[in-house]
Amino acid sequence: MSTTSNTANTQAKRIELRKSKQLALAFFAGAAVLFVISLFLPPTWWSGLLKSFAEAAMIGALADWFAVVALFRRIPIPIVSRHTEIIPANKARIADNLAAFVHEKFLDTDSIVGLIQRHDPARQVADWLVKPANTELLGNYLVRMSGWALDFIEDAAVQNFIRRAVHTMVQQVDLSKTSGALLESFTRDNRHHELLNEGIDQLAKLLANEETQAVIAQGIVDWLREEYAFMERMLPSDMIGRKGADLTVRMASGILNRVSEDMQHPLRQRFDAFTREFVERLKTDPAFLEKGEDIKRHLIGDATLNGYIGSLWGDLKGWIKRDLENADSVLRTRIVATGAWVGRMLADDPQLRASLNANLELAARGAAPEFAGFLTRHIADTVKQWDSREMSEQIELNIGKDLQYIRINGTIVGGLIGVLLYLCSTLPVLLR
């Protein structure tokens, strides 16, 4: 669409340039016709005036034609020809001068800082964002950009990046020492006793459950049948099972209650000792350290884990794309809400706006020289790389129409000067 539009625009400029050239040529032809007519008229004062007008008009038209054409093309006239074809012959100098002009007039640091100071960009951003229609527009635009970015990203590269990142993270972690440090932190201030107390409470609840007691009673009956089958037939095994289960539960509950109530109970002390020893072994025991390395190697080489890691990006990308295509997109809603919030914050806080503008000015002062240098070099290098004929043609297409009016004006002004000179030359005769 853009290429078609550019082609149509270029064609329109060509047509306008051709028409303006034809108009300038028509003025010259008109002066030539008047000159020819003046040659066949009787030698009177009026015929002399007409001839002087026509001669001077043709001279003015030809002189300005030469001046205009000499800008773009070589005119094969001895001696004079070296001063024609000005634009193609001076392409490099034009490129440098154009770049210097842009640098001095548009990209110098003071101009850019002055632009920021005049327009208060933070205020303009705030005014733009506080309008709901604009935040909706911003949200829609960023959603479309996100969709394009997702399609542009190469999935395999992202998956490999995630996999390498996870592998690197796993390799850098000392599982045994890290586990030891975590447990050591957990046992600080006897916090591990909270876990023990919770375990005791849950075990007590389990023993108080009728189903648990039934399982214990059945276990006792089954044990009697396996170990003492003959006696089991003679004894009331079901009653023994129930009584045994009740006794077991009461004994276990009594032990648990004593452990729960007595912070110095031997079982608690043994639990403390075991925990400290286990933490120390995790941090120093070579066997535990090697086991941690084995686990890391297993994780890195595990096909299931790697497959899951590889699918993470696909799942995330799929969710994002589905959300972006949804009319009630969560991401779009968040973007719109964030834009509105930023707009309100900027609108209600003059100090924040002043700070942002000051930082923009500071950034401009730091970046403007380098940016200006880069852009001017780019302009100069780009113009120098253009084909001389093509550059000349493009300049003529864009300003050639106006240059043809120089030829028209030259024809008219030249003719008027011819009239004036004729009047000056015949003034003594008229005065006599």
Side-chain angles (χ1 to χ4, degrees):
M1 184 65 72
S2 178
T3 304
T4 304
S5 177
N6 290 336
T7 303
N9 188 38
T10 301
Q11 187 62 28
K13 289 180 179 180
R14 292 184 190 278
I15 294 173
E16 291 179 355
L17 178 61
R18 184 168 63 250
K19 289 181 179 179
S20 61
K21 285 183 176 180
Q22 291 172 350
L23 180 61
L25 180 61
F27 271 79
F28 172 77
V33 169
L34 290 177
F35 177 74
V36 172
I37 292 174
S38 69
L39 295 178
F40 293 96
L41 293 176
T44 64
W45 185 88
W46 290 104
S47 63
L49 179 65
L50 180 62
K51 182 179 180 183
S52 296
F53 172 82
E55 287 176 340
M58 288 191 298
I59 292 172
L62 289 172
D64 286 336
W65 168 85
F66 178 86
V68 171
V69 174
L71 289 172
F72 306 104
R73 295 173 185 81
R74 182 177 180 276
I75 300 176
I77 299 176
I79 301 176
V80 177
S81 61
R82 63 181 179 178
H83 298 295
T84 61
E85 203 176 25
I86 295 173
I87 291 177
N90 294 276
K91 182 181 69 172
R93 189 168 63 182
I94 292 172
D96 292 333
N97 290 337
L98 176 62
F101 174 78
V102 172
H103 183 278
E104 294 173 2
K105 302 300 180 182
F106 299 98
L107 298 178
D108 64 294
T109 302
D110 291 337
S111 296
I112 296 177
V113 172
L115 184 68
I116 295 173
Q117 294 172 343
R118 288 194 303 275
H119 294 282
D120 189 4
R123 174 81 257 183
Q124 292 193 7
V125 170
D127 292 341
W128 192 85
L129 285 175
V130 294
K131 298 177 181 178
N134 291 334
T135 53
E136 290 285 341
L137 181 66
L138 176 65
N140 291 334
Y141 178 76
L142 291 179
V143 163
R144 289 198 300 271
M145 288 293 295
S146 300
W148 296 336
L150 287 174
D151 292 333
F152 178 77
I153 294 174
E154 185 179 353
D155 292 345
V158 176
Q159 291 170 350
N160 289 333
F161 171 79
I162 295 175
R163 186 179 294 109
R164 289 196 302 270
V166 173
H167 287 178
T168 301
M169 181 182 67
V170 171
Q171 288 173 342
Q172 292 178 347
V173 173
D174 190 324
L175 293 179
S176 183
K177 289 184 178 180
T178 301
S179 300
L182 289 174
L183 284 176
E184 186 176 36
S185 175
F186 176 71
T187 59
R188 194 171 294 124
D189 298 327
N190 289 328
R191 282 178 289 185
H192 59 295
H193 281 279
E194 297 177 7
L195 178 63
L196 178 61
N197 292 336
E198 182 65 23
I200 291 173
D201 291 342
Q202 293 298 324
L203 184 57
K205 292 178 181 179
L206 182 64
L207 291 173
N209 187 281
E210 293 183 358
E211 294 182 0
T212 304
Q213 295 176 8
V215 170
I216 296 174
Q218 185 60 44
I220 294 174
V221 172
D222 292 339
W223 174 74
L224 286 173
R225 287 174 180 171
E226 291 178 3
E227 299 295 331
Y228 305 99
F230 175 74
M231 293 179 62
E232 188 271 334
R233 296 189 188 96
M234 298 176 63
L235 297 174
S237 56
D238 291 339
M239 184 185 69
I240 294 175
R242 288 193 302 272
K243 293 296 183 179
D246 182 63
L247 177 62
T248 302
V249 168
R250 282 191 287 110
M251 290 178 61
S253 298
I255 295 172
L256 293 176
N257 288 334
R258 287 192 295 274
V259 173
S260 179
E261 295 171 358
D262 185 6
M263 296 302 296
Q264 302 300 321
H265 195 279
L267 288 180
R268 282 187 180 274
Q269 294 178 358
R270 290 180 61 186
F271 178 70
D272 280 342
F274 170 79
T275 302
R276 288 193 296 270
E277 180 184 355
F278 185 69
V279 168
E280 189 62 26
R281 290 185 64 192
L282 281 174
K283 295 168 64 175
T284 60
D285 193 329
F288 276 86
L289 297 176
E290 182 60 29
K291 187 62 177 178
E293 294 300 317
D294 289 341
I295 294 174
K296 285 163 55 175
R297 286 190 289 268
H298 173 74
L299 290 175
I300 293 174
D302 185 66
T304 303
L305 176 62
N306 286 312
Y308 173 73
I309 294 172
S311 67
L312 283 177
W313 169 245
D315 295 342
L316 177 61
K317 179 178 179 180
W319 178 86
I320 294 175
K321 294 195 71 172
R322 288 192 299 273
D323 180 74
L324 294 178
E325 293 169 358
N326 192 344
D328 300 325
S329 169
V330 175
L331 291 175
R332 179 181 169 279
T333 302
R334 295 290 185 185
I335 292 171
V336 171
T338 301
W341 176 79
V342 171
R344 289 193 302 271
M345 288 288 294
L346 288 175
D348 298 338
D349 193 339
Q351 292 183 345
L352 177 60
R353 294 197 304 271
S355 176
L356 288 175
N357 287 332
N359 283 303
L360 280 176
E361 292 179 22
L362 184 63
R365 292 185 185 279
E370 184 176 354
F371 173 75
F374 165 78
L375 192 57
T376 50
R377 288 194 301 272
H378 174 68
I379 292 173
D381 293 341
T382 301
V383 174
K384 289 176 182 178
Q385 290 175 3
W386 288 349
D387 179 76
S388 298
R389 298 297 178 185
E390 182 180 353
M391 183 186 74
S392 179
E393 180 183 359
Q394 288 299 318
I395 294 175
E396 186 176 11
L397 280 176
N398 285 278
I399 66 172
K401 177 183 176 181
D402 297 321
L403 292 177
Q404 301 310 310
Y405 287 103
I406 295 177
R407 295 173 55 189
I408 295 173
N409 293 337
T411 305
I412 297 173
V413 173
L416 294 176
I417 293 174
V419 169
L420 181 62
L421 292 176
Y422 180 77
L423 291 175
C424 292
S425 66
T426 58
L427 185 59
V429 176
L430 293 175
L431 291 177
R432 287 199 302 267

